[in-house]
Amino acid sequence: MGNSREPNLTATLRRRALGAARRARDAGRLLSTGNVPAGRDPELLPAWPAPADQVMPPMYFGWTRYSAFYPDSKAFVVSREVPNPEAYKRQLWAADRMITRSHVFLDLSVPLFQRMRERHDYRHVVTHSSDMPDPWQSQLHDAADTHDVLILQPVESTKLHNTMKGHLIRTGSPSRVVVWFRIDDDDLLGLNYLDELSQYANPHDRGRAVSMARGYSALWDEGSVTHIRTAHRRLGSQGQAYVGWWDKDREEITFPRAGSHATVDDRMPTILDSRPHVFMQLRHVGQDTSTKLAGIEALRSKHTSVAGVQDLEPVFEQFPTLRGVYRPAP
């Protein structure tokens, strides 16, 4: 009887092995595409294929679109309201607009990125247009030569995913948690941002988004920052992060699907942390995502209706580049 049962046992083990392999493939397909295979119950799929225990600290990638030319985007005022491509470029790279971007991003934001790199394995990808004129193009490349935290990515060449993957392959990175986050070219992240984010950059939180929702807001006017106040941006774009995994053997990065930052919790589990102050949102004339361009007086009136921060020392500790450009409100 022992011999007669061996084929049945072998067949059972084989079916179980095939079933486990199929479930792993389905889970990978779900995480890569967001689609549940036909006929499968998503609740029966594992949350994530379990890799080997993490032995490396996480890799962080920031992402900024530095006045890049996106003619089909509906997310920005300029691309939405100026349908002619050449007129769009003229407005996008107009001197009065770019003076603000170059000052805020290159002089105030990038030095903070470089400081964060001293404590974390971190690179910041800057998507830009190759035909952006000088002096803006030259200034950006000079900044990348000076700050090794920056990786320049022409918008015409490839996508963010491929840039991250290429860096991990070139540096021979082992399998580990990878996190990417976004920040606009006219906002700042504090020196504490990655320190605070690191508590969620672990294997248990893969497949999740992280919204660090507390920070500051200030007016930017003629090269100065004034009237700094606290800000609470639940699911805001400032520093919203996505926790994924780099598989060295397969040379694949798996991230949850990002989409709109405002509705990210509809697509994936989302961690909301409003305890630390980690971002600085600068309000100014010509904000890209404003629905209506406002004059500085209208912005000042609205902004100063909320009490400003009285003790600025904690602000300057996390945003030291603001010390030289802060101007007390009259």
Side-chain angles (χ1 to χ4, degrees):
M1 292 182 62
N3 291 338
S4 66
R5 294 182 60 181
E6 273 189 12
N8 292 335
L9 178 59
T10 300
T12 299
L13 292 174
R14 184 171 182 274
R15 284 196 302 273
R16 290 178 179 176
L18 290 174
R22 185 184 64 250
R23 288 191 294 274
R25 287 196 303 272
D26 289 344
R29 193 176 301 119
L30 172 64
L31 292 166
S32 300
T33 67
N35 299 320
V36 177
R40 304 306 306 282
D41 185 343
E43 294 184 358
L44 299 180
L45 296 176
W48 199 286
D53 290 339
Q54 182 181 6
V55 296
M56 283 286 292
M59 177 77 205
Y60 298 95
F61 288 100
W63 182 44
T64 295
R65 292 173 290 196
Y66 185 64
S67 295
F69 180 60
Y70 286 98
D72 299 323
S73 174
K74 303 301 180 184
F76 308 111
V77 171
V78 178
S79 59
R80 195 167 59 240
E81 297 184 356
V82 185
N84 181 280
E86 292 307 313
Y88 171 19
K89 286 184 178 181
R90 287 194 297 272
Q91 189 165 334
L92 181 68
W93 298 322
D96 56 349
R97 183 181 180 280
M98 290 302 300
I99 287 172
T100 294
R101 262 68 185 184
S102 63
H103 193 173
V104 172
F105 185 66
L106 300 181
D107 299 334
L108 304 182
S109 196
V110 169
L112 299 180
F113 298 157
Q114 190 68 33
R115 288 275 301 275
M116 286 190 276
R117 171 161 153 61
E118 296 172 3
R119 297 199 296 268
H120 299 276
D121 199 350
Y122 163 49
R123 294 295 188 278
H124 199 92
V125 180
V126 183
T127 298
H128 66 102
S129 297
S130 297
D131 57 346
M132 180 172 63
D134 280 330
W136 324 118
Q137 187 82 241
S138 297
Q139 289 176 358
L140 178 61
H141 283 268
D142 288 345
D145 291 339
T146 306
H147 302 89
D148 64 358
V149 69
L150 297 183
I151 297 176
L152 301 188
Q153 172 195 281
V155 68
E156 311 88 351
S157 64
T158 187
K159 296 184 180 298
L160 174 66
H161 185 98
N162 295 331
T163 298
M164 293 188 289
K165 178 179 175 179
H167 177 82
L168 292 164
I169 292 174
R170 284 193 306 274
T171 56
S173 173
S175 298
R176 57 169 156 169
V177 166
V178 178
V179 181
W180 79 270
F181 60 88
R182 67 182 83 192
I183 186 71
D184 289 344
D185 59 5
D186 53 357
D187 293 329
L188 284 72
L189 290 174
L191 294 178
N192 61 336
Y193 175 70
L194 291 184
D195 298 336
E196 298 292 347
L197 183 61
S198 64
Q199 62 191 302
Y200 307 116
N202 60 73
H204 302 292
D205 288 319
R206 287 169 298 154
R208 302 178 189 271
V210 183
S211 174
M212 308 294 290
R214 184 78 65 179
Y216 302 100
S217 180
L219 284 177
W220 174 266
D221 182 20
E222 297 183 354
S224 296
V225 168
T226 186
H227 196 79
I228 298 174
R229 68 184 191 184
T230 59
H232 196 186
R233 304 281 186 262
R234 294 182 180 89
L235 305 184
S237 64
Q238 297 86 5
Q240 187 174 113
Y242 309 90
V243 185
W245 183 260
W246 163 245
D247 187 324
K248 181 182 185 300
D249 294 333
R250 301 174 66 182
E251 293 191 342
E252 290 181 358
I253 307 178
T254 309
F255 279 113
R257 183 167 56 92
S260 171
H261 64 84
T263 58
V264 65
D265 56 326
D266 290 339
R267 295 180 299 280
M268 70 194 75
T270 301
I271 298 169
L272 179 64
D273 191 342
S274 300
R275 297 170 298 169
H277 292 70
V278 300
F279 64 81
M280 175 68 70
Q281 184 181 32
L282 297 180
R283 308 296 294 174
H284 57 90
V285 176
Q287 207 113 35
D288 282 347
T289 53
S290 299
T291 55
K292 182 179 180 181
L293 300 182
I296 189 61
E297 292 303 325
L299 284 175
R300 182 180 292 113
S301 176
K302 181 178 180 180
H303 202 79
T304 56
S305 64
V306 178
V309 175
Q310 298 302 309
D311 182 7
L312 292 174
E313 194 55 33
V315 180
F316 294 144
E317 286 179 1
Q318 302 303 334
F319 302 89
T321 53
L322 294 184
R323 287 186 184 274
V325 295
Y326 175 72
R327 185 182 75 230

